[in-house]
């Protein structure tokens, strides 16, 4: 697939906030999107090995047929991580490998699901929001852990599958804590771009099976990145 050239993949540290603020003004989280509208949906995840200057990243994109939920294509990228982890700027560590892997796809997914956040971010630019500009497709963030913004806590949803509670920061609803399976920990859903919160929630629930609290495409990408890392370490 064609990947947009939005900005340098390895910009100077001083440009990070400016880039995030500029792109955040262009985000659209008002569009409804239904499962029936999707032909394909992709899960994206990264894993890491090593630390410091020897840190290596592994990106896997698993593309599923939205009707049969069978994998139709995979793409991977492995490379050195050039930037240390800085809270609020994780995307700049991950974008180079995501762009490389996405550029290998022959299928153009109708939706990308990321193991991470969308607008649930101090500057509304989590990985699903930021990467959506390069991918030019709707994107949703599905995080396993809660990224606290402005000391805002979240309220635990009820234990039944489908229960959820809104995450409201400074009067703005940025995401939801969603119980995708009864009695398991919630995931934290936030739209990235090109899709609204209700649709993001409904799609995450419809794409989650019984074997994990994560949507099937994200779970597959997560499993695959850990396999990539294991194989790399064994070599």
């Amino acid at each position: 697939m064609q990947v947009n050239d939005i900005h340098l993949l390895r910009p100077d540290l001083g440009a990070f906030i400016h880039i995030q603020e500029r792109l955040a003004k262009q985000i659209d989280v008002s569009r409804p999107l239904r499962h029936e509208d999707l032909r394909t949906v992709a899960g994206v995840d990264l894993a890491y090995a090593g630390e410091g200057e020897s840190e290596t990243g592994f990106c896997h994109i698993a593309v599923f047929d939205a009707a049969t939920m069978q994998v139709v294509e995979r793409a991977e990228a492995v490379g050195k991580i050039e930037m240390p982890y800085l809270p609020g700027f994780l995307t700049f560590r991950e974008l180079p490998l995501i762009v490389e892997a996405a550029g290998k796809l022959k299928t153009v997914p109708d939706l990308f699901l990321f193991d991470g956040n969308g607008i649930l971010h101090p500057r509304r630019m989590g990985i699903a929001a930021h990467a959506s500009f390069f991918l030019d497709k709707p994107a949703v963030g599905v995080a396993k852990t809660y990224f606290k913004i402005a000391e805002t806590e979240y309220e635990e949803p009820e234990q039944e599958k489908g229960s959820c509670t809104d995450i409201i920061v400074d009067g703005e609803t940025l995401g939801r804590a969603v119980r995708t399976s009864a009695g398991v920990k919630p995931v934290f859903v936030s739209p990235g771009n090109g899709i609204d919160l209700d649709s993001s929630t409904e799609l995450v629930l419809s794409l989650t099976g019984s074997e994990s609290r994560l949507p099937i495409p994200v779970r597959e990408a997560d499993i695959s990145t850990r396999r990539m890392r294991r194989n790399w370490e064994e070599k």
Side-chain angles (χ1 to χ4, degrees), residues 84-101:
Y85 171 71
L86 297 172
F89 300 112
L90 177 64
T91 296
F92 292 100
R93 282 167 57 87
E94 301 189 337
L95 263 179
L97 291 179
I98 291 171
V99 167
E100 181 182 342

Side-chain angles (χ1 to χ4, degrees), residues 58-159:
F58 309 87
C59 177
H60 188 96
I61 302 177
V63 183
F64 283 74
D65 182 298
T68 66
M69 291 311 295
Q70 298 297 312
V71 176
V72 295
E73 190 177 0
R74 300 174 184 271
E76 297 180 344
V78 179
K80 181 179 179 181
I81 299 299
E82 305 285 350
M83 187 189 122
Y85 171 71
L86 297 172
F89 300 112
L90 177 64
T91 296
F92 292 100
R93 282 167 57 87
E94 301 189 337
L95 263 179
L97 291 179
I98 291 171
V99 167
E100 181 182 342
K104 297 176 181 178
L105 291 174
K106 297 178 181 177
T107 306
V108 180
D110 296 313
L111 174 72
F112 284 86
L113 298 175
F114 285 84
D115 185 345
N117 291 306
I119 62 169
L120 186 58
H121 180 276
R123 287 168 294 281
R124 314 303 185 254
M125 286 298 291
I127 183 62
H130 201 146
S132 72
F133 289 96
F134 287 82
L135 303 171
D136 199 24
K137 286 293 178 179
V140 175
V142 188
K144 297 190 287 289
T145 57
Y146 179 55
F147 181 32
K148 187 188 296 186
I149 302 170
E151 299 304 312
T152 301
E153 301 290 350
Y154 75 94
E155 182 180 344
E156 280 282 338
E158 299 296 327
Q159 293 296 320

Side-chain angles (χ1 to χ4, degrees), residues 139-227:
V140 175
V142 188
K144 297 190 287 289
T145 57
Y146 179 55
F147 181 32
K148 187 188 296 186
I149 302 170
E151 299 304 312
T152 301
E153 301 290 350
Y154 75 94
E155 182 180 344
E156 280 282 338
E158 299 296 327
Q159 293 296 320
E160 293 80 11
K161 177 177 180 176
S163 298
C164 57
T165 56
D166 287 353
I167 300 170
I168 303 173
V169 181
D170 296 330
E172 183 181 3
T173 302
L174 299 183
R176 285 184 179 142
V178 180
R179 195 83 66 183
T180 54
S181 294
V184 303
K185 293 180 180 179
V187 295
F188 303 92
V189 177
S190 56
N193 198 6
I195 185 172
D196 64 20
L197 178 56
D198 286 343
S199 298
S200 298
T201 305
E202 292 166 7
L203 284 169
V204 165
L205 286 168
S206 71
L207 292 167
T208 300
S210 59
E211 53 287 303
S212 172
R213 64 188 173 119
L214 293 173
I216 293 169
V218 177
R219 178 176 183 265
E220 181 62 28
D222 175 68
I223 291 171
S224 297
T225 55
R226 288 188 274 119
R227 171 187 51 76

